[in-house]
Amino acid sequence: MANTCKCEGNCSSVVYQELDAFMADCPKGRDKLIPVLQKAQELFGYLPVEVQEYVAKALELPVSEVYGVVTFYHYFTMEPRGRHTINVCLGTACYVRGAKKIVDALSENLNIKMGGTTEDRRFSLTTQRCFGACGLAPVIMINDDVHGRVTPKKIAGILAQYE
Amino acid sequence: MAIKLKIDRQDVEVPEGTTVLDAAAEAGVHIPTLCHVPKVTSPGSCRVCLVEIEGARTLQPACVTPVTEGMIVRTHSKRARQGRQMSVELLLANHPWDCNACVRNGQCELQTLAQTMGITDVRFPYTREEVPVDTSTAAVVRDMNKCILCRRCVAVCQDVQGVGSLAPRARGFDTVIGAGAGENLCDAVCVQCGQCAAICPVGAIYEQDAIEDVWRALDDPEKHVVVQTAPAIRAALGECFGLEPGTCVTGKMVAALRRLGFAKVFDTNFTADLTIIEEGHELLTRLKTALVDKGEVSLPMFTSCSPGWINFMEYFYPGLLPNLSSCKSPQQMFGALAKTYYAEKEGIDPKNIVVVSVMPCTAKKFEADREEMVDSGFKDVDYVLTTRELGRMIQEAGIDFMKLPDEEQDSPMGMSTGAADIFANTGGVMEAALRTVYEVVTGRELPMEKLHVAPIQGLDGLKEVALTFEKCQPDWSFLEGVTAKVAVAHGLSNARKVCDMVADGEGGYHFVEVMCCPGGCIGGGGQPRMTTDEVRQSRIKAIYTEDEGRTMRKSHENPAVTQIYAEFLGEPLGHKSHELLHTHYHAKEPV
């Protein structure tokens, strides 16, 4: 199968080769579709339609079925993720201490909506329910770093720490 | 092993593995369903067939619950009735209420169900977000606003046809039946067979309607509008007027078309006979190349009448395209000849001729739009109506179908033989071809009872027969003692099996008939709903009866075919034939 990458240079044919190697051990059909998609997402960071078509061809499945599985599970994403993932806690404690304002400030600062990714792929913005750090509310996590007692004013400074 | 149970206080005995639904039917109790279609799918998703089973905590879906010994089933207890009503009410809450303006008004399974259940009010607000209607293909319209997510279309597309264009996507309230991985059906691998439209219980998938275009042509005094009807229409059109499946209405159909205003009522059967002459000679030529000249030639040869099947080959088996007969389908041969031969003969400017087809098929709409199909110098076939659309037109025109006299098609392109009739059903094209090829080669009639080739009749998915040529005519002496092996497949998942065999060099076939839809064209995506196996069998029986009632039952006996070769075409596979009656195919990228 030709390794034609359509991802505008954001992935390499090496990644496709790695996916090929993973799929080499998989039977045709739907039995291993989910592990293959997990692997593909791990490799590409997300599952654009091109990758889904590639998987569908390799496993001899209709692309409609692959797309159905990708859109069924929240784990799979068709949007490219940023290098850094910002998680805003929307648990009760954070919420009452102004998490909503933090979300708005982040959205405004990064010019993206909740769930989105900046054009330069620097940040993705998502939410979670309670990190168990309620004493520090409101809390955000960027990658594995916890930032507590966040205020809208502090946002720019925090973001500046991540390239 | 027999299982004994009680359904609504009646004792019932059924084989092990029977569902409660089928056991109830045995006991004369009809349990409503929306998602379940016998032999196609039973996903248990619509929850309309809920029944009360003693000892079970909740109501159970009858279509997927197997019977057990001593089971006590109540199908219309208060609890069962309320449960089923609730299921339907919830479906209605998520379904538009513009029934009056729906193509399925009066023939909608959901509407009928709501009425039977006495539902006059829905307590839940309609909250669905509107999505655009997909009109991207020539064949079908998909209005997912009306979809009840029963998944019948998914099953027929994936399992029966093995195409897999349709699949559910997203989850929960966001669930929608999607095409491929994009927005529109035109971007998906779709062969346009319309089996999804034929099986849809509601108005979510239906044929692209050409009725207005046809009325406009009929209303235009400049236009000379001729009509052709496919062999399968006559065995099904009556169902649009309440007749039993399997009632042949050829004469009334012709009368109705004449009353609608068509200048000439012709017959696709005419070009079906012509197809046999062209395709039969093509087969014999291929065999001669292989056996005598030892040349490179693609065998087996596949039939090419079915546009859904052509699409399937172009998408999935481009390597086998040389095996397809180069003959156009009878529909397209007709169009090309109507605007050349007929135009010349009658002295009508072909630009004023409008060719309307009535087809059991939605893929024929796509086929008529193919860019190759302009060999007459014009679009060969202008508009394609399905059987269902013709039924609606006749009703709209206020024609009392049942009171119509039986009339006959016009000459010359309305003349045909019994061999053309049987193009309507699986095995028919092959039988018609064998009737002619055997007689051409040996000079004797096909030695089969009533000219029927029994092994390739019926609804088995894949059928085959072998036929040995003996005492051949001098021209065909190279076939002496040769045993021709032919196969017949219908439904694309069966076609796939044959294609895989051929691709692997197995089977040893010389000639293969494939019809895209299960049962052949009589079970086409444009036929009256619902086409079950019983309906298929009834329609096939009607077609064979029509064939047997004819004096001419072999394509080469058709005098109009002899005439067109004498007056216009010259000889089979001749220059003019190649120009007008043959075509070529293109590999399509499966996206």
Side-chain angles (χ1 to χ4, degrees), chain B residues 248-292:
Chain B
C248 220
V249 293
T250 317
K252 286 187 177 11
M253 172 184 77
V254 172
L257 290 166
R258 214 161 263 144
R259 277 153 188 72
L260 283 173
F262 290 100
K264 294 281 176 180
V265 181
F266 289 142
D267 202 340
T268 317
N269 278 17
F270 168 70
T271 35
D273 277 333
L274 197 60
T275 299
I276 288 300
I277 306 302
E278 290 289 324
E279 202 166 86
H281 279 86
E282 187 186 355
L283 175 68
L284 290 171
T285 309
R286 287 191 193 217
L287 290 175
K288 189 165 185 234
T289 311
L291 297 172
V292 181

Side-chain angles (χ1 to χ4, degrees), chain B residues 214-236:
Chain B
V214 174
W215 279 129
R216 201 178 315 115
L218 288 169
D219 289 340
D220 186 342
E222 296 285 302
K223 299 295 181 196
H224 181 83
V225 190
V226 302
V227 65
Q228 56 167 326
T229 54
I233 312 303
R234 59 212 74 192

Side-chain angles (χ1 to χ4, degrees), chain B residues 190-515:
Chain B
C190 168
V191 301
Q192 319 234 2
C193 68
Q195 285 295 314
C196 54
I199 207 165
C200 180
V202 296
I205 315 182
Y206 52 94
E207 61 282 354
Q208 279 275 16
D209 193 319
I211 293 178
E212 278 313 308
D213 294 320
V214 174
W215 279 129
R216 201 178 315 115
L218 288 169
D219 289 340
D220 186 342
E222 296 285 302
K223 299 295 181 196
H224 181 83
V225 190
V226 302
V227 65
Q228 56 167 326
T229 54
I233 312 303
R234 59 212 74 192
L237 181 64
E239 291 165 44
C240 298
F241 305 96
L243 291 171
E244 282 298 306
T247 315
C248 220
V249 293
T250 317
K252 286 187 177 11
M253 172 184 77
V254 172
L257 290 166
R258 214 161 263 144
R259 277 153 188 72
L260 283 173
F262 290 100
K264 294 281 176 180
V265 181
F266 289 142
D267 202 340
T268 317
N269 278 17
F270 168 70
T271 35
D273 277 333
L274 197 60
T275 299
I276 288 300
I277 306 302
E278 290 289 324
E279 202 166 86
H281 279 86
E282 187 186 355
L283 175 68
L284 290 171
T285 309
R286 287 191 193 217
L287 290 175
K288 189 165 185 234
T289 311
L291 297 172
V292 181
D293 311 333
K294 310 285 178 202
E296 281 282 312
V297 66
S298 298
L299 283 171
M301 186 172 87
F302 287 111
T303 56
S304 57
C305 306
S306 169
W309 152 243
I310 300 293
N311 283 338
F312 180 81
M313 286 285 274
E314 289 181 326
Y315 274 127
F316 296 104
Y317 293 92
L320 294 180
L321 288 177
N323 293 66
L324 272 177
S325 162
S326 65
C327 286
K328 285 182 186 170
S329 72
Q331 159 173 280
Q332 293 305 136
M333 284 193 186
F334 182 96
L337 291 173
K339 294 190 180 181
T340 53
Y341 169 65
Y342 171 72
E344 261 177 60
K345 208 174 160 67
E346 297 293 311
I348 304 169
D349 187 341
K351 83 173 186 331
N352 290 328
I353 295 182
V354 176
V355 176
V356 174
S357 309
V358 186
M359 294 285 141
C361 178
T362 54
K364 287 282 172 196
K365 291 173 183 273
F366 168 85
E367 183 186 46
D369 286 349
R370 284 183 75 120
E371 58 184 22
E372 308 88 68
M373 299 300 170
V374 290
D375 288 330
S376 64
F378 303 89
K379 190 174 182 235
D380 293 334
V381 172
D382 294 278
Y383 305 115
V384 180
L385 298 168
T386 58
T387 316
R388 295 193 291 267
E389 287 164 88
L390 176 60
R392 292 205 293 276
M393 268 187 97
I394 295 170
Q395 272 156 352
E396 189 187 342
I399 295 167
D400 188 344
F401 191 78
M402 299 312 296
K403 284 201 179 140
L404 289 172
D406 286 341
E407 292 183 7
E408 287 195 359
Q409 285 98 342
D410 292 303
S411 284
M413 294 179 74
M415 192 174 275
S416 64
T417 72
D421 286 320
I422 59 175
F423 265 60
N425 52 264
T426 173
V429 173
M430 182 59 73
E431 183 173 309
L434 292 178
R435 287 182 192 175
T436 287
V437 167
Y438 188 87
E439 197 163 318
V440 166
V441 170
T442 66
R444 300 183 305 278
E445 193 167 74
L446 184 69
M448 309 254 176
E449 199 188 339
K450 293 185 184 172
L451 290 175
H452 292 316
V453 187
I456 55 169
Q457 292 186 315
L459 289 179
D460 287 345
L462 191 49
K463 302 164 280 189
E464 56 177 58
V465 70
L467 191 67
T468 306
F469 296 109
E470 283 164 337
K471 293 186 222 152
C472 295
Q473 296 289 94
D475 280 356
W476 308 103
S477 56
F478 69 90
L479 287 171
E480 188 63 44
V482 169
T483 299
K485 202 171 164 196
V486 304
V488 172
H490 59 115
L492 291 175
S493 54
N494 294 313
R496 193 181 276 281
K497 288 178 200 156
V498 181
C499 289
D500 285 339
M501 283 167 78
V502 170
D504 293 344
E506 291 165 14
Y509 302 123
H510 297 94
F511 191 23
V512 180
E513 174 206 288
V514 179
M515 294 191 189

Side-chain angles (χ1 to χ4, degrees), chain B residues 7 25 65 69 73 96 99 101 106-107 114 131 188 195-196 222 248 251 256 314 332 416 472 489 505 536 554 564 586:
Chain B
I7 298 179
T65 306
E69 187 64 34
V73 181
C99 293
Q107 295 150 33
V131 294
Q195 285 295 314
C196 54
E222 296 285 302
C248 220
E314 289 181 326
Q332 293 305 136
S416 64
C472 295
R536 286 186 186 95
K554 301 167 219 158
I564 197 173
H586 314 277

Side-chain angles (χ1 to χ4, degrees), chain A residues 102 105 109 140 148-161:
Chain A
I102 305 298
N109 193 296
I140 68 170
R149 300 211 174 88
V150 182
T151 62
K153 276 187 185 163
K154 286 186 188 169
I155 293 286
I158 295 171
L159 293 179
Q161 298 166 33

